[in-house]
Amino acid sequence: WYQRRVRALVSTLKDEIMGILGTNESTFAERIGKSSNEVFRLYDRAVHVAGEAARVAEFRQTCDENPADVQTLGRLIDESHESLRYKYNVSIDELDSLTQICRDAGALGSRLVGAGFGGCTISMVPKEIVEQFISKVWESYYQPRNVSFEEATSKHLFVTSPCAGACVLRVPS
């Protein structure tokens, strides 16, 4: 099932890209010198999308059925980052370094968020070690880049807690 789904997604993406470019596979290969899969890595990207959907479903199921299983939740977060890094190809060295530093500092899982190519990470950290975690991340990542602890903790490192996501509010007319 998974392989069929990925191949269907790749085929759809490939057709859309060639439609946008106004070309077919052979013309595309002639102009670029490579197949669309070599250029756009469609198969890898489709594997990421399908895998991410499966990870989200497993994360949700774990939260619903066994929220204390933080090891599974952390593993899924880490797998998501690895897929973004190797399959979707949107991570950069600094984000990879930062997620590893976060794991080494006690995060159960850490991944990039946003579109990638720079930006932010999110890490799942046990409440009881948050202050230690922040200090270790500052020492390992921000201090060597000449960012003061005050600046790092006011602009870059902050604590948040899980809560309900987006929802639809129905307002009486």
Side-chain angles (χ1 to χ4, degrees):
W1 171 85
Y2 181 78
Q3 292 295 327
R4 283 194 317 270
R5 182 85 174 124
V6 168
R7 291 190 200 299
L9 184 56
V10 169
S11 178
T12 301
L13 289 171
K14 185 172 161 182
D15 291 346
E16 286 183 24
I17 290 169
M18 288 188 297
I20 291 167
L21 297 174
T23 187
N24 59 36
E25 178 68 33
S26 62
T27 306
F28 181 88
E30 286 172 20
R31 287 185 186 161
I32 305 295
K34 296 181 178 182
S35 74
S36 59
N37 193 49
E38 290 175 290
V39 174
F40 296 110
R41 297 185 59 195
L42 297 179
Y43 183 79
D44 284 346
R45 288 170 182 9
V47 166
H48 165 75
V49 169
E52 194 72 354
R55 283 186 289 278
V56 168
E58 185 178 351
F59 196 96
R60 173 66 191 261
Q61 182 178 2
T62 302
C63 287
D64 288 343
E65 296 174 5
N66 189 11
D69 186 2
V70 294
Q71 297 305 318
T72 294
L73 299 176
R75 175 184 55 79
L76 291 166
I77 292 169
D78 287 341
E79 286 175 4
S80 178
H81 182 77
E82 291 304 301
S83 183
L84 287 162
R85 180 181 186 183
Y86 293 112
K87 296 292 185 192
Y88 213 65
N89 232 69
V90 294
S91 191
I92 59 172
D93 292 343
E94 289 83 356
L95 285 174
D96 298 335
S97 173
L98 186 55
T99 57
Q100 187 58 56
I101 287 168
C102 290
R103 283 185 215 96
D104 293 345
L108 301 170
S110 187
R111 62 160 277 179
L112 72 85
V113 292
F117 307 113
C120 302
T121 64
I122 188 168
S123 299
M124 189 170 73
V125 179
K127 280 184 184 180
E128 53 277 356
I129 68 160
V130 166
E131 295 305 318
Q132 259 180 283
F133 171 82
I134 288 172
S135 292
K136 287 180 179 179
V137 171
W138 174 73
E139 288 170 6
S140 298
Y141 188 82
Y142 292 98
Q143 187 179 31
R145 289 166 174 78
N146 297 316
V147 177
S148 71
F149 186 79
E150 292 73 26
E151 181 181 354
T153 55
S154 68
K155 294 182 180 179
H156 308 293
L157 292 166
F158 55 91
V159 178
T160 185
S161 297
C163 61
C167 65
V168 175
L169 293 177
R170 298 197 189 276
V171 180
S173 47

